Every structure is written in C-alpha cells, then in structure tokens.
C-alpha cells in the first residue's frame, strides 16, 4: 500500500496552483492522494491570511487535527502558505508544536526535504526539481488530477513589490519575481500533453510580468508565445492592476483567439482619497477610462473587479463614489470584501479601523444587491445566444462549463463532454449561472 497524502487548500488561485505542485512532488516520492484526512500519512494545510476569517479557518482546521496526530504519531502535518509567510516560522513553531513542517508560500521544498531525509538524492528544493521537470516537459500532475483536470493554474510572476496599505501579500510572498519564459512554456506544454485544455496565468499583478527582467518578454508577448502551445484551447490571466494594463496587452487579448475575453482588474474603491489612502496609484477617472478603452477594443469582453468596503476613514459619501462606479460601469463580477485589519500592514499600523462592523456589512449588502441586479441584466442578454462552452466535469448529473467570458453554464447531456468545447444555446440565465442546451453531437474543435 503506498503512503497517502491529503491536501486542504484555502485562498486564492495561487494557492491552488501551489497545492498541485505539492501533490506532484509527493507523488514523485511515491505517495498517493486520499480525500480522507484520517487515512493520510501526510496532511498539508495550504493557508491564506488575506482576511482574518481565512486565518481563523486555517487555525481551526489545524487545531482539529491535533487529536488525529495524538492517535497517529507518525502522521506528518505540514503547514504551508501565507500563514507561515516568507519570514520564517519561529513564532508558529512555539504555538503549534504538533506541526512537523512549516513551508513558505509556493515552496514544497521543506516538506519534500523532511520526507526524503536520509535518501541519497534529497531534492534540495522542490522549486529546482520542478523547474528541471518542467524544462524537460516532464511536470506531472498529481495522479488524481491527470486526464481529469481541464483547467490548470500556472504562476508566471511570484510575489508583489507594491505596497497597498491594506495588503499583507508583499510581506508574505516577497518581492516580485517573474518566472523565465522557457519554464512557463515547458509547464504549459506539459499540462497540455496531460489533457489540460485551459491555463490561467497567475500573478498578484500579472500585467507586470517581465518588468523585473531586463529585455524579457512582457505579458502581451508571453500570451503570444503560450498561444502557440499545441493542444491548448484557452488562456486566461489574472490578476491585473489598472496601472499596467496597456493597449498592447488589450491588443493581444483581442487578436489571439485562444486568449479569452475576460479581464480581472480590481478597482478596490471608487473614491480618490480612499484610493490614495490605499496607495493604489490611480484615480476613479483612470479606472473608468481603462474600462472604456477595453470595451472599445473588445465590446464583448467581461470585466471583473475587487472592492473593499469600510476602509479606515471611508465616509458615506466616499462609499457612494464606489457605489456609483459599479452602477455606471456595470461590470460582470465584483468580488466584494469588508475591510479587516491585517497585522503588519500599513493600514493597521497607521490608520484607525473606524467604520463599525454593522456599517461595513450595510455597505457590503448594498453593493451585493446592486451587483446582483447588474449581473442579472448582463446575463439576460445571453438568452437564446449560442456560445462556446468548455465543459469540465459533471456535477449532480449536469455538465458544468464556462463561456469565453467566464460565465458558469450547466447543461444536461448524455454525451461525454469533459474537456470538450461545444456550442451551447443559452436557455435560462440567473445572476450567478446559466443553463444551456446542446446539439446531439459535439466535436473537440473550437466550434
Ligand atoms: S498589488 Fe496591492 S493588493 Fe495586490 S498583492 Fe500587491 S500589495 Fe497586495
């Protein structure tokens, strides 16, 4: 019986990609995946601390593993990700003595080294191994995801060198580092060879890709290069920053058929003073201009944003600026969050978290309701239209897929649709998903 591992992942797509890497590394060592923590010999908790609730969840989960560790002393518990942070794990080690290994974000190395102690060919770090594997076209997805995974995440730039005052990421993930283009392409090729049809290129500020490398390609050029990978059907990228979203990048999205017309570009707040306090580096007007330009070039492009309500000092009038931006721009998605102070950030050290929780909740709900109306109206325009849907899996008897604009579509069909792009006619729309009917037979081709 092979030894088994279990991974619990909290947080952003970067963490999902990191967990895939950890799984792949463990399978190189002979471990097999289990979805039951009680059966596992190694449990990895890949954590997120971007909000207090995420951190509390991770610590709660960790504490619940303690009795299991007492019953099964050979169990290896690995705490990974933002909770550990790039600054080391000394404090956590004292607080959590039953955790065996602490790993910073994106680095399965400490766990691999721990598990491979005593072996002749100890991998110095999984990053090196992964890089060589990728360069040889040999990056292997964890077995339980091979042939199953249709859409995969590929980090292209790690860390962030910005200093948004509410954000803990730069402290946790370190300075911005773009991955070499050769590594990225090799990884995408390898994923495509394993059945992956869609990749999402990831970065905290993905449109800064290449800016830390003299003479390296930028994101627009990277998209053109990745576009050439055979077998790959769709490319997405996130998260963009309004200051770096160039017309050259828009042109790449507009011209390259595999690059999907969906852009994630957070505004965070609509009021200029709040934006200055957040240290975002743009104004409401800049953001509106950006959306206008994107829409001029790509009228059908969907645009997603992030918004934080209740930032320190945010007045009712300032909040209403945010409300009006959402009301006017009618974006496809707004990821909403209530501000929560994160230890170590500039906002926590220097600003007063003075918007009461109830008020934060009221503002949050107002935006939520507005956005529900906006998206319902946008989605209604899809009714009766036929769109290409990439189907990923069957959920409760219905196939689940995504349109090029990243809308979630469900469809009933007896056909085997996993990994297929099929023209689907939209028969029902709601704010968060749509239903579609399919023709009798579908092909693998882009339709
Ligand atoms: S751009 Fe700002 S919000 Fe995004 S990761 Fe960097 S510091 Fe955080």
């Amino acid at each position: 019986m092979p030894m088994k591992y279990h991974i619990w992942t909290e947080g952003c797509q970067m963490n999902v990609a990191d967990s895939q890497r950890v799984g792949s590394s463990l399978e190189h060592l002979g471990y097999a995946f289990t979805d039951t923590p009680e059966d596992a010999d190694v449990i990895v908790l890949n954590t997120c601390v971007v909000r207090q609730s995420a951190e509390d969840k991770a610590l709660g989960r960790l504490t619940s593993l303690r009795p299991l560790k007492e019953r099964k002393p050979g169990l290896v518990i690995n705490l990974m990700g933002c909770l550990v942070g790039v600054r080391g794990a000394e404090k956590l080690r004292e607080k959590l003595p039953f955790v065996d290994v602490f790993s910073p974000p994106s680095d399965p190395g400490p766990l691999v080294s721990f598990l491979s102690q005593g072996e002749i060919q100890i991998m110095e770090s999984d990053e090196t191994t992964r890089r060589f594997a990728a360069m040889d076209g040999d990056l292997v997805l964890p077995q339980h995801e091979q042939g199953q995974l249709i859409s995969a995440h590929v980090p292209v730039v790690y860390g962030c060198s910005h200093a948004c005052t509410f954000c803990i990421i730069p402290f946790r993930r370190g300075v911005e580092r773009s991955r070499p283009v050769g590594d990225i392409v090799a990884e995408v090729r390898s994923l495509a060879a394993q059945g992956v049809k869609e990749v999402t290129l990831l970065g905290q500020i993905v449109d800064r890709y290449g800016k830390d490398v003299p003479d390296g390609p930028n994101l627009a050029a990277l998209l053109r290069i990745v576009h050439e990978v055979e077998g790959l059907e769709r490319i997405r990228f996130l998260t963009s920053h309004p200051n770096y979203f160039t017309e050259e990048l828009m042109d790449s999205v507009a011209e390259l058929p595999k690059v999907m017309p969906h852009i994630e570009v957070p505004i965070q707040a609509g009021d200029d003073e709040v934006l200055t306090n957040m240290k975002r580096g743009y104004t409401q007007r800049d953001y509106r201009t950006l959306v206008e330009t994107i829409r001029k070039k790509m009228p059908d492009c969907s645009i997603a944003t992030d918004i934080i309500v209740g930032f320190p000092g945010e007045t009712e009038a300032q909040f209403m600026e945010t409300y009006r931006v959402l009301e006017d721009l009618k974006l496809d998605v707004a990821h909403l969050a209530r501000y929560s102070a994160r230890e170590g950030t500039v906002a926590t050290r220097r600003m007063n978290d003075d918007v009461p929780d109830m008020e934060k909740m009221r503002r949050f709900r107002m935006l939520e309701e507005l956005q529900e109306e906006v998206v319902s109206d946008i989605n209604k325009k899809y009714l009766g239209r036929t769109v290409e849907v990439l189907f990923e899996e069957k959920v409760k008897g219905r196939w689940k897929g995504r349109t090029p604009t990243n809308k979630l579509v469900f469809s009933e069909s007896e056909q085997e649709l996993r990994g297929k792009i099929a023209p689907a006619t939209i028969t029902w729309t709601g704010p968060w998903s749509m239903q579609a009917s399919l023709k009798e037979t579908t092909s693998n081709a882009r339709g």
Side-chain angles (χ1 to χ4, degrees):
M1 285 286 285
M3 305 274 270
K4 292 189 182 145
Y5 72 93
H6 175 81
I7 303 185
W8 177 77
T9 309
E10 176 74 12
C12 63
Q13 285 87 345
M14 190 70 89
N15 273 11
V16 173
D18 289 348
S19 290
Q20 281 166 359
R21 270 195 189 84
V22 176
S24 185
S25 304
L26 290 174
E27 287 182 14
H28 272 292
L29 296 180
Y31 287 79
F33 175 77
T34 174
D35 52 15
T36 315
E38 288 72 21
D39 292 346
D41 302 284
V42 177
I43 297 180
V44 181
L45 293 186
N46 195 0
T47 58
C48 167
V49 289
V50 75
R51 308 205 193 301
Q52 185 63 46
S53 57
E55 184 166 336
D56 293 346
K57 204 165 156 191
L59 286 171
R61 185 88 178 204
L62 202 52
T63 312
S64 74
L65 289 177
R66 193 175 192 145
L68 185 63
K69 174 84 176 177
E70 281 164 6
R71 283 203 308 278
K72 207 173 158 183
L75 172 69
V76 174
I77 297 181
N78 173 213
L79 184 64
M80 182 180 175
C82 293
L83 187 57
V84 180
V86 288
R87 290 171 190 273
E90 288 321 308
K91 263 196 196 159
L92 288 167
R93 222 178 281 281
E94 275 171 33
K95 202 169 148 194
L96 303 164
F98 58 99
V99 173
D100 300 280
V101 191
F102 294 85
S103 317
S106 312
D107 186 6
L111 177 62
V112 170
S113 301
F114 183 87
L115 296 173
S116 346
Q117 272 164 14
E119 289 178 19
I120 301 164
Q121 293 169 329
I122 291 175
M123 287 177 254
E124 278 196 2
S125 85
D126 188 68
E127 175 59 23
T128 313
T129 310
R130 189 199 51 72
R131 191 163 64 237
F132 284 130
M135 281 161 69
D136 295 344
D138 193 27
L139 179 79
V140 181
L141 280 175
Q143 235 163 38
H144 66 285
E145 288 183 355
Q146 275 174 40
Q148 302 286 316
L149 196 65
I150 300 306
S151 176
H153 296 112
V154 176
V156 299
V157 47
Y158 293 119
C160 178
S161 297
H162 269 225
C164 301
T165 53
F166 55 81
C167 185
I168 202 161
I169 297 287
F171 303 106
R172 301 287 179 177
R173 290 196 179 263
V175 295
E176 176 179 273
R177 288 107 59 211
S178 294
R179 287 179 69 197
V181 63
D183 287 14
I184 295 167
V185 173
E187 183 167 339
V188 174
R189 264 200 210 114
S190 169
L191 289 167
Q194 293 170 72
V196 167
K197 300 287 180 214
E198 173 182 274
V199 291
T200 302
L201 309 180
L202 298 176
Q204 301 296 346
I205 307 186
V206 72
D207 43 356
R208 275 193 57 84
Y209 176 75
K211 291 200 185 293
D212 56 325
V213 183
D215 304 326
N218 59 13
L219 183 62
L222 180 68
L223 289 174
R224 289 184 190 276
I225 296 167
V226 172
H227 195 265
E228 297 307 308
V229 172
E230 251 177 67
L232 189 68
E233 301 271 3
R234 288 183 168 186
I235 304 165
R236 301 182 189 275
F237 58 92
L238 55 92
T239 302
S240 299
H241 187 291
N243 286 4
Y244 304 101
F245 210 101
T246 58
E247 295 214 17
E248 184 196 3
L249 180 54
M250 288 176 213
D251 289 339
S252 288
V253 180
E255 285 164 23
L256 298 171
K258 289 183 186 173
V259 179
M260 295 294 104
H262 173 74
I263 288 163
E264 303 244 352
V265 60
I267 183 171
Q268 303 296 8
D271 181 77
D272 288 350
E273 196 182 328
V274 175
L275 285 170
T276 303
N277 292 341
M278 288 178 163
K279 228 171 161 213
R280 289 291 293 174
Y282 51 83
T283 62
Q284 179 192 132
R285 168 70 13 230
D286 296 334
Y287 191 85
R288 284 177 182 266
T289 306
L290 175 68
V291 170
E292 257 168 47
T293 318
I294 292 172
R295 286 180 169 160
K296 224 176 264 165
K297 285 184 186 280
M298 294 175 279
D300 286 334
C301 188
S302 67
I303 301 177
T305 198
D306 291 9
I307 292 196
I308 298 172
V309 295
F311 188 74
E314 185 188 67
T315 63
E316 174 67 12
Q318 289 173 330
F319 163 70
M320 285 310 292
E321 288 292 319
T322 305
Y323 188 93
R324 273 189 287 277
V325 171
L326 272 195
E327 193 176 38
D328 293 347
L329 292 184
K330 304 199 188 310
L331 304 176
D332 292 77
V333 181
H335 305 289
L336 306 175
R338 286 167 286 150
Y339 172 77
S340 68
R342 310 301 296 122
E343 203 186 326
T345 60
V346 174
T348 302
R349 283 185 277 122
R350 306 214 187 122
M351 298 176 197
N352 187 10
D353 183 9
D354 54 358
V355 181
D357 284 348
M358 291 287 283
E359 178 55 21
K360 284 179 188 163
M361 184 49 96
R362 188 188 68 83
R363 294 178 189 180
F364 180 92
R365 292 238 188 281
M366 270 180 76
L367 294 188
E368 202 174 43
E369 278 168 28
L370 168 68
Q371 194 57 22
E372 188 168 336
E373 270 174 42
V374 167
V375 183
S376 297
D377 288 347
I378 294 175
N379 289 356
K380 270 183 203 147
K381 295 189 187 128
Y382 281 77
L383 257 185
R385 269 168 61 182
T386 299
V387 284
E388 289 186 342
V389 175
L390 171 57
F391 288 98
E392 292 173 22
E393 59 178 339
K394 223 169 187 179
V395 179
K396 294 187 181 150
R398 293 187 306 164
W399 284 101
K400 184 190 108 186
R402 299 246 170 208
T403 66
T405 50
N406 213 34
K407 305 282 180 189
L408 188 58
V409 172
F410 290 97
S411 205
E412 278 172 31
S413 173
E414 292 311 312
Q415 299 176 64
E416 174 55 46
L417 293 174
R418 187 188 296 279
K420 296 201 171 134
I421 292 178
T425 305
I426 305 298
T427 54
W428 175 88
T429 65
W432 321 124
S433 70
M434 304 179 179
Q435 281 174 25
S437 65
L438 297 173
K439 288 213 186 100
E440 276 300 286
T441 50
T442 58
S443 77
N444 244 334
R446 294 169 56 83

